Amino acid sequence: MPAIRILDPSVVGKIRAGEVVERPASVVKELLENALDARSTLIAIHTASHPERLIRVQDDGVGMSREDALLALRRHATSKIESADDLARVRSLGFRGEALASVAEVARFTLTTRSADEITGTQVEALGGAIIQVSGVGRAVGTTVLVEDLFFNTPARLRFLKSREAEIRFLTRVVWSYALAYPRIHWKFSVEGREDTDLPEARDLSERWHVLYGRGSSDGGEATLEHEAAGIHVTGILGAPEQARASRDHQTFAVNGRIVSSPTLGAAVRQGYGNLIAGDRYPLALVLVEIDPELVDVNVHPTKREVRFRDEARLFRMVRGAAEIAMRRYVPVGIALPESPGAERPAGSAAAYAPGPARESAVEGEGALMLALYAPPGADEAAVRDRDQGDLRESLSEPEIPIWQLHERYLLAPIRGGLVVVDQHAAHERILYEEARASLFGGAGSSQALLFPRVVDLTPPELDALLMLEPHLKRLGYDVSLFGERQVAVRGVPALVPENAAIDSLKAVLASVDTLGERGEAPEEHIAKSFACHAAVRTGQILNPVERRALFDRLFATSLPHGDPHGRATYVRVTMEELDRRFGRR
Ligand code: ADP
Ligand code: MG
């Protein structure tokens, strides 16, 4: 490592200045980054239970000469850059020579260090920025920085600290982020009286990831991320959809080894999950971007927490594309998630599902599937042929993957990482609910005319309800008219729903009018739920292979396939790892 020098004022002027030390977590971050820049292989972090009272970071890096140790506490003293040009090429985590000076200024500060060229080490003690003692000490090559009584001379900042728990959470997050991004480093982390972690050098990202998120196993069901194009290399790990959390706290992004917060990367990852997780959840993610330093500006934020990319849109597309590819592991074989437009992906990838916005054609194409979904084996052959869809049906009758039905309730299919189990009723409910909403809120859904109108008896309250809901029912595809005093004639029902189920759900919708608006829902919402619940295939119904396949295809084309309209799960995944464990294979 080159010697430390004081930066030229012209260079200093180009550096984004500001508050470096906001809280104990910022101290930890700066000290860690220094230890990493010093090519350490072991980094040990210790804090008191009130972290502002004591933070110690110890490393086995290159250390400093006595001369450097004294210079290191000065402002703009750095060994990492010299000129303004270096700023554009910076590879190290530090470059401003401000961290040690800023920390030393607001604390009691002790630096102990030895470089390989020296026989004795140096200890420098400072109080509020002033060096009060320098002495020789015996120690191994490396550096230890001890920070005590942080903000003792700036009580205002002390008051700004959050609770002890919150401060510990912040700094734990810093340590874990770096530990995840640097698996080859042996990390030790302890918080007095609570936390004591030892993370010996790991082989790779996955091994380290498992310690934190894998519940101690070697396959927690996560997906790996890998993509390289145009000089940008993206690697990382994405948690299984069911591991998604309610906050972003478990998303770690690093750019050229620097942990950053990046809304762009966060959004790209989220979009890559598509509809595999609910809209208000955040996947576990570790994304490392290696990029030519000239294509990224690290000098935009005083704490270097944010970076700016030359071509943000491209990086976004790349990460989203890579995440989409990684997510295939969670989708049943042969079923493609709806693809986002403009995703960068290798040639020959699975064809897009294309859930066209054109509902008309969607109904045409999927109509046959829906019919198939309902048709008991052998029935409706004529109707299918009449529609000239015979060949489509035939081609679907040999699905390329087996889908089994279990106890007339669940559908089972292999997926890349194991097995998926779909609840047939809940899944169909999700499908019909989304279609009903589209008809009710958007244009009218298509209707199928009944060959023979069905005459249905209604009670007076049901008749009242009918009058009230008429316009909605029409949009759903019902064609109902009065027929005698207490009877209606149903001449048309929503397309793709078999007659009996359609009549049942009509009655259910009329009966549910009592609770209309109870939960502050729009009537359309209420009707869609009630309709879907009663029109969906029941538990206990046998589905043929074509119907099973149709249910899978359609479920994974909905916007939220993981839950039915009431929030219950529509499917669960069982990983190979879980099976292996139960069979005692590991
Ligand atoms: P910067 O990291 O931006 O250069 P710092 O104030 O954090 O600024 O550190 C100043 C200098 O002190 C660094 O450039 C480096 O030469 C030296 N230094 C700091 N911490 C360590 C460490 N743990 N091991 C070796 N050298 C260090
Ligand atoms: Mg630094």
Side-chain angles (χ1 to χ4, degrees), residues 39-62:
R39 298 194 295 277
S40 308
T41 63
L42 168 69
I43 302 176
I45 303 107
H46 173 77
T47 83
S49 60
H50 287 270
E52 69 279 9
R53 292 189 191 154
L54 184 146
I55 295 170
R56 188 181 59 228
V57 176
Q58 195 174 349
D59 70 50
D60 66 349
V62 297

Side-chain angles (χ1 to χ4, degrees), residues 174-234:
V174 169
V175 174
W176 273 110
S177 303
Y178 273 103
L180 275 170
Y182 289 85
R184 303 308 304 264
I185 293 201
H186 182 170
W187 297 88
K188 290 185 180 189
F189 175 45
S190 57
V191 177
E192 184 191 321
R194 335 186 141 205
E195 159 95 51
D196 196 353
T197 316
D198 188 8
L199 298 171
E201 176 186 350
R203 236 173 316 144
D204 50 23
L205 293 178
S206 302
E207 195 180 322
R208 182 58 58 76
W209 170 277
H210 282 127
V211 178
L212 185 52
Y213 298 124
R215 308 171 204 112
S217 67
S218 58
D219 180 4
E222 76 286 350
T224 50
L225 199 64
E226 175 82 61
H227 194 72
E228 175 143 36
I232 305 176
H233 192 191
V234 177

Side-chain angles (χ1 to χ4, degrees), residues 30 34 80 94 99 304:
E30 293 295 338
N34 280 346
K80 301 170 191 174
K304 300 173 284 182

Side-chain angles (χ1 to χ4, degrees), residues 29-35 37 77-78 80 93-100 304:
K29 172 186 172 293
E30 293 295 338
L31 298 182
L32 288 190
E33 292 187 345
N34 280 346
D37 281 342
T78 181
K80 301 170 191 174
L93 300 172
F95 54 85
R96 296 173 310 190
E98 274 196 288
L100 293 189
K304 300 173 284 182

